[in-house]
Amino acid sequence: MSEAPHILVVDDDDRIRTLLKQYLTREGYRVTVAANATSARKLFATFDFDLAIFDIMMPGESGLELIESLRKQGIKSPVLMLTARGETSDRIEGLKAGADDYLAKPFEPEELALRVNAILRRTHVEPPPEEIEMSGLVFNAKRGELTEGDRRVRLTEAELQLLTALASQAGEAVSREELASHSAGSTERSIDVQVTRLRRKIEPDPKQPVHLQTVRGIGYRLMPD
């Protein structure tokens, strides 16, 4: 099981920090808090945060100045900005500085959680598994090998590129056009031919595929065990 996303909350208001830490912890996140930009910098030097929540209006260095500085340093953690100001110009200023979203105070914790979840879905992509199992076969994308026990199943270069592309998005529908782009000289029509050949090598019954599935009107989907 992957570790829960780690969120940094930076706000000079003790009450807000406590509220957000309690609420986001109950939502299943790991939460660290800081009272100002100086403390936040020290934390960024130690941890890689999956998301940061900055208050814009802080004494000393503001949240806007902090995010601009972090972006110049190459720190790319997504940021949700909090502020008591709700004018459009302030929202635009925050987004231009490099924020991913913006929420005006006062806010409902449920709305904050929804925004946090949406940002993490967009930015926190799990790497594809190194190995995929399919009815006794194991495909290792890193090594470019399809094996059944100790036996290596021979794949043509086109079949390997096709299987690798599908495995990188296992469980998701991938268009014929995208699949063709992964193999030099391939067309959408040739992808259909390669799929038929590949099914003979990976499916228990190629006429009733369970792993290399057709997604009508789109393309194909690879479903591991």
Side-chain angles (χ1 to χ4, degrees):
M1 182 180 294
S2 60
E3 201 168 20
H6 192 181
I7 297 176
L8 172 64
V9 174
V10 187
D11 198 306
D12 61 307
D13 187 321
D14 292 344
R15 185 182 59 83
I16 294 282
R17 286 201 311 275
T18 301
L19 172 70
L20 291 184
K21 180 166 186 176
Q22 290 175 344
Y23 185 80
L24 292 170
T25 299
R26 285 201 303 269
E27 290 291 302
Y29 299 111
R30 292 179 294 142
V31 183
T32 299
V33 297
N36 51 54
T38 301
S39 298
R41 289 182 186 285
K42 294 177 182 178
L43 289 165
F44 271 109
T46 305
F47 300 103
D48 291 323
F49 292 101
D50 298 292
L51 173 71
I53 299 173
F54 292 170
D55 182 30
I56 287 186
M57 301 299 291
M58 293 189 292
E61 188 176 5
S62 72
L64 281 175
E65 292 168 330
L66 176 58
I67 187 174
E68 287 174 341
S69 174
L70 293 173
R71 292 295 185 250
K72 287 177 183 177
Q73 295 174 43
I75 295 174
K76 298 180 180 179
S77 299
V79 174
L80 171 63
M81 305 294 286
L82 298 179
T83 179
R85 301 180 301 176
E87 291 82 2
T88 301
S89 60
D90 294 319
R91 293 199 295 273
I92 292 173
E93 190 178 358
L95 295 171
K96 280 184 175 178
D100 294 78
D101 202 354
Y102 187 106
L103 186 60
K105 299 177 182 176
F107 55 85
E108 292 295 329
E110 290 84 358
E111 182 180 2
L112 176 82
L114 288 171
R115 289 176 181 267
V116 165
N117 192 37
I119 294 172
L120 289 173
R121 278 203 313 271
R122 292 197 307 265
T123 61
H124 194 66
V125 180
E126 293 288 341
E130 189 172 297
E131 290 189 339
I132 287 178
E133 297 185 16
M134 302 170 288
S135 299
L137 295 170
V138 177
F139 178 62
N140 187 300
K142 189 175 182 180
R143 294 201 300 264
E145 290 182 354
L146 180 65
T147 55
E148 184 175 24
D150 296 329
R151 181 180 73 87
R152 182 170 178 173
V153 178
R154 183 182 176 279
L155 296 173
T156 66
E157 185 61 28
E159 290 167 350
L160 175 58
Q161 290 172 344
L162 175 62
L163 188 54
T164 300
L166 288 164
S168 70
Q169 300 181 59
E172 302 291 332
V174 186
S175 70
R176 289 176 174 84
E177 181 181 8
E178 182 177 345
L179 292 171
S181 71
H182 287 278
S183 180
S186 289
T187 64
E188 292 183 38
R189 182 169 294 182
S190 69
I191 290 296
D192 294 336
V193 175
Q194 293 166 20
V195 164
T196 298
R197 292 174 177 166
L198 190 55
R199 279 173 172 162
R200 294 175 188 150
K201 298 181 178 182
I202 69 174
E203 295 287 356
D205 182 355
K207 293 182 180 180
Q208 295 183 327
V210 293
H211 297 300
L212 214 174
Q213 301 175 353
T214 299
V215 182
R216 192 173 301 278
I218 301 177
Y220 297 97
R221 171 173 51 218
L222 186 70
M223 294 297 294
D225 289 342

